[in-house]
Amino acid sequence: MHRPLIAAALATSLCAPFAAHANEAGEAAVKARQSLMTLIAYNLGPMAQMAQGRVDYDAEVAQAAADNLYTLTRHSQERLWPEGTAHGIFEGTAARPEIWQNLEEFSNLYATLQGAAATMQGAAGDGLQALQGALGDVGGACRSCHDDFRVSD
Amino acid sequence: MRRIGWLVLIAASLGALLWWLARPSDLPDATRAALDAHRPDPAHGERIFWATGCAGCHAPPDLDSGAPPEARLVLSGGRRLESPFGTFVAPNVSPDPVNGIGDWSLHDFARAMLRGVSPEGAHYYPAFPYTSYLRARPEDVADLWAFWQTLPAVETPSAAHELPFPFTIRSGLGIWKFLNMNEDFVFPGDGAAPVMRGRYLVEALGHCAECHTPRNLAGGLDVGRWMAGAPNPSGDGRIPRIPDPSWSAEDIEAYLFSGFTPDFDVVGGSMADVVQHMAQLPAEDRAAIAAYLRALVE
């Protein structure tokens, strides 16, 4: 008579460890992708400040930041976005569920950023104007993805 | 019998009062005179266009956030604005005479912007931010209309709003407008030129408060919590308080031009379009907006 109840209880107790496991994996992925974003922003900093005229242009500093940006954008996205880590179903992320519904568009936008970062690597040491030009495309790549796939804060 | 007569009379006068309060208002004579006396300057009208952010709602829905300014001059409408009262669909306001507003007069345009009333005398929904635009100078509205004449006409028909009853009854908006239309500026300001210019750009043209100030249950702006941040009407996340007290005036200016925050995060969401518009303004206007916002926290 209570068999369905017992089955349900059993199923729940069996699944719980897996759920906890999935949660830990999700947390690690969210932390990793947010760290990558932080590092990207950290390296955009000196370049953007030069482009905005808030600090003097310095070819060496700009080049080093652009090299870092290039390297950071080579990080593969594969393990950073596990299913179930969207805003609304997972705590502490601004990643919109639309990412998982449009994975192709999402990866195309990342490819755009990778291209812009490569251009930037070639331009950053070539004077302020070259840096400003390339930064526009990097910023544009960030924006077009944030526009569609990040929750407003 | 006599008492019933009085009750009917009182009810009738209350009804008449409500009707009178809710009627679509016309432009004041002084505004009409100012519109007629002004020699319109379309170049200045373009500056007003970017400050008012008309393209933020009326540009095509599939426009990429990185789209160039020219693409933002196509006012075909079609963007959807979700709200607790239903979904508003921005209409075609291009100069097309059939599907847009090409057959309007300057007075029609000014009445829409400053009074929220259509040429046919119907109330517009406040998704059209006339509660901010009503503070705009008539001369600027005339310049904007002159610039409007240079924009491409688009034939896309406007789609209907998707609203549940009773929000479908536009005459009810009259009461809402009576309660929420206030020409006075919210922030007194210090009288210094950049702050006052910034106040005009933010409170009248830029209509920043429409998203950044929370609303009361009736959907009116809670001016007591001016720019305090609000839930995002389109569902996810929150619209932040502005300014972030840790941002300097220089930070705000740089953000409005480039979309980079002081931490070099990059703007997204509907603010990405706003930054694209703001970037078209002369630097002094962005500096004025920054001065005003800093004055709010200082």
Side-chain angles (χ1 to χ4, degrees), chain A residues 48-127:
Chain A
Q49 281 187 314
M50 289 176 204
Q52 291 166 355
R54 299 172 76 174
V55 299
D56 289 337
Y57 174 73
D58 181 325
E60 246 174 77
V61 175
Q63 189 62 57
D67 290 344
N68 287 340
L69 179 68
Y70 179 85
T71 308
L72 290 166
T73 55
R74 298 311 109 175
H75 191 294
S76 95
Q77 297 287 301
E78 267 163 20
R79 289 165 51 237
L80 294 180
W81 310 93
E83 289 271 355
T85 59
H87 174 84
I89 54 174
F90 204 87
E91 198 69 18
T93 175
R96 298 181 74 156
E98 281 80 356
I99 291 174
W100 288 268
Q101 292 148 22
N102 303 281
L103 277 175
E104 199 184 325
E105 193 195 337
F106 185 64
S107 5
N108 288 344
L109 287 171
Y110 189 61
T112 308
L113 174 66
Q114 290 180 311
T119 311
M120 174 58 95
Q121 194 181 27
D126 266 355

Side-chain angles (χ1 to χ4, degrees), chain B residues 125-177:
Chain B
Y125 291 100
F128 175 27
Y130 50 75
T131 44
S132 295
Y133 293 158
L134 87 169
R135 303 186 183 104
R137 285 190 281 267
E139 293 79 7
D140 287 343
V141 175
D143 289 349
L144 177 60
W145 184 237
F147 175 65
W148 217 272
Q149 307 316 309
T150 71
L151 301 181
V154 202
E155 288 179 0
T156 320
S158 299
H161 300 314
E162 294 157 20
L163 305 173
F165 183 82
F167 305 123
T168 42
I169 305 173
R170 285 181 187 252
S171 53
L173 283 166
I175 300 294
W176 187 92
K177 286 166 85 174

Side-chain angles (χ1 to χ4, degrees), chain B residues 60-102:
Chain B
D62 49 0
L63 204 69
D64 184 79
S65 63
E70 310 85 74
R72 298 168 186 275
L73 302 178
V74 179
L75 303 179
S76 63
R79 292 192 176 200
R80 299 166 63 82
L81 231 89
E82 286 160 39
S83 85
F85 305 98
T87 298
F88 299 96
V89 187
N92 180 340
V93 291
S94 80
D96 185 77
V98 180
N99 290 309
I101 61 170

Side-chain angles (χ1 to χ4, degrees), chain B residues 90-111:
Chain B
N92 180 340
V93 291
S94 80
D96 185 77
V98 180
N99 290 309
I101 61 170
D103 61 342
W104 285 19
S105 68
L106 168 62
H107 285 229
D108 289 339
F109 184 68
R111 193 183 183 201

Side-chain angles (χ1 to χ4, degrees), chain A residues 54 143 146-147 150 152-153, chain B residues 232 238 240 251 266 269 276:
Chain A
R54 299 172 76 174
R143 195 173 50 228
H146 290 175
D147 194 27
R150 185 174 69 172
S152 358
D153 44 7
Chain B
N232 183 355
R238 269 186 76 78
D251 290 336
V266 178
Q276 294 289 326

Side-chain angles (χ1 to χ4, degrees), chain B residues 165-286:
Chain B
F165 183 82
F167 305 123
T168 42
I169 305 173
R170 285 181 187 252
S171 53
L173 283 166
I175 300 294
W176 187 92
K177 286 166 85 174
F178 172 74
L179 297 171
N180 289 287
M181 300 274 280
N182 187 351
E183 280 181 45
D184 298 334
F185 284 91
V186 175
F187 183 63
D190 58 359
V195 172
M196 299 322 261
R197 170 72 183 161
R199 181 177 78 164
Y200 180 64
L201 287 165
V202 169
E203 294 194 16
L205 305 183
H207 62 278
C208 312
E210 303 280 345
C211 288
H212 287 281
T213 295
R215 291 177 182 275
N216 57 34
L217 278 180
L221 290 180
D222 180 358
V223 293
R225 290 188 287 158
W226 193 238
M227 305 295 185
N232 183 355
S234 303
D236 48 22
R238 269 186 76 78
I239 311 280
R241 168 189 178 189
I242 53 169
D244 181 317
S246 72
W247 290 29
S248 67
E250 207 183 18
D251 290 336
I252 299 169
E253 269 185 80
Y255 174 75
L256 292 176
F257 182 65
S258 67
F260 283 114
T261 70
D263 305 328
F264 303 99
D265 186 359
V266 178
V267 62
S270 38
M271 193 62 196
D273 282 330
V274 177
V275 167
Q276 294 289 326
H277 306 152
M278 291 288 159
Q280 302 304 315
L281 291 176
E284 67 198 70
D285 279 352
R286 285 187 298 275

Side-chain angles (χ1 to χ4, degrees), chain B residues 282-295:
Chain B
E284 67 198 70
D285 279 352
R286 285 187 298 275
I289 291 170
Y292 166 84
L293 290 175
R294 281 303 309 170

